[in-house]
Amino acid sequence: MRKTNDMQRGSPSGPEHEAGSPQEPVLPGAAGSGPGLRASLEAILLVADEPVPEMVIAQVVEQPTEEVSAALRELATSYRDAGRGFELSEVAGGWRFYTSADCAAVVERFVRDGQEVRLTQAALETLAVVAYRQPVSRARVSAVRGVNCDGVMRTLVLRGLVEEAGTDQETGAILFRTTGYFLERLGLPAIDDLPELAPFLPDHLDDEQDTGHETAGA
């Protein structure tokens, strides 16, 4: 069983000391066990698609906001001092993992050269929704497609085809748009040069629309 700093200082041993140190509180969970604060913060931020406010994280881990804030800053400093390929940054009122600026060239080569594979059908459909409805939120894209598109959106962002375009004034959700690289790949001078959708829609959709108009007219 892992020994803690308390045990190394000669403090009495026992389940309450083995679970975690005072600097690394054990979060609520099974009796006598649970992830440490730092591990919990890393897990939450690893799956976050947008900056997460300290208050939200504190509510999730059920710890004081001050402790969460201090732990986040300690993590950010430790990653930076260790020269990691990623960094923890406070942006837009929250915290999120980003790749290190020193690794930008490597990441760009990976995205644009190392990922030269055909997009999946799901990725193509998602990209089409963004292209024709931009700027659009991730939730709106998922609603149009009828499935969760978080993973596909991350792929499109990594491929350099989609990028963040501010936030929605009403909901605060991050909006997305296509990039210059998207236009380059399609050989288009501007987004306005995208072809009209109507010729590509299935015939039965036109029939349903005509029926709907006739019913409305009746």
Side-chain angles (χ1 to χ4, degrees):
M1 183 173 295
R2 181 176 63 86
K3 295 183 178 180
T4 66
N5 293 334
D6 283 344
M7 295 178 67
Q8 293 173 354
R9 288 195 294 268
S11 299
S13 61
E16 67 277 10
H17 295 282
E18 294 176 348
S21 66
Q23 291 76 25
E24 183 72 350
V26 172
L27 302 188
S33 65
L37 178 57
R38 284 194 169 195
S40 298
L41 297 181
E42 291 175 329
I44 292 172
L45 294 170
L46 188 63
V47 299
D49 295 319
E50 54 191 47
V52 187
E54 293 176 355
M55 184 176 297
V56 173
I57 299 176
Q59 292 174 348
V60 172
V61 300
E62 300 181 6
Q63 294 293 319
T65 304
E66 294 76 11
E67 291 188 15
V68 170
S69 177
L72 287 168
R73 284 168 171 75
E74 289 176 3
L75 281 175
T77 300
S78 66
Y79 297 148
R80 183 171 55 253
D81 293 345
R84 306 299 293 270
F86 59 90
E87 58 188 29
L88 181 58
S89 301
E90 184 178 13
V91 295
W95 291 81
R96 186 181 181 185
F97 280 124
Y98 292 88
T99 56
S100 172
D102 295 336
C103 299
V106 176
V107 173
E108 183 176 0
R109 285 200 300 272
F110 171 74
V111 172
R112 298 198 174 186
D113 300 330
Q115 293 287 294
E116 286 297 329
V117 295
R118 295 180 64 87
L119 292 174
T120 64
Q121 184 66 29
L124 288 172
E125 293 175 0
T126 301
L127 184 57
V129 174
V130 175
Y132 282 95
R133 291 179 176 263
Q134 61 184 310
V136 62
S137 67
R138 187 183 290 105
R140 181 57 179 165
V141 174
S142 297
V144 171
R145 291 202 57 230
V147 295
N148 187 294
C149 297
D150 289 355
V152 179
M153 287 291 289
R154 283 195 294 270
T155 297
L156 294 175
V157 171
L158 286 174
R159 297 285 292 273
L161 297 168
V162 170
E163 65 183 1
E164 294 184 5
T167 58
D168 185 274
Q169 294 183 352
E170 295 183 0
T171 64
I174 294 178
L175 300 177
F176 292 86
R177 65 187 176 196
T178 53
T179 64
Y181 179 62
F182 166 80
L183 294 175
E184 177 185 335
R185 298 297 293 177
L186 266 65
L188 299 175
I191 198 66
D192 293 336
D193 295 305
L194 281 171
E196 294 292 333
L197 274 178
F200 299 96
L201 294 175
D203 294 336
H204 69 83
L205 287 182
D206 295 334
D207 296 338
E208 291 176 359
Q209 292 176 349
D210 293 339
T211 301
H213 290 313
E214 293 175 359
T215 303

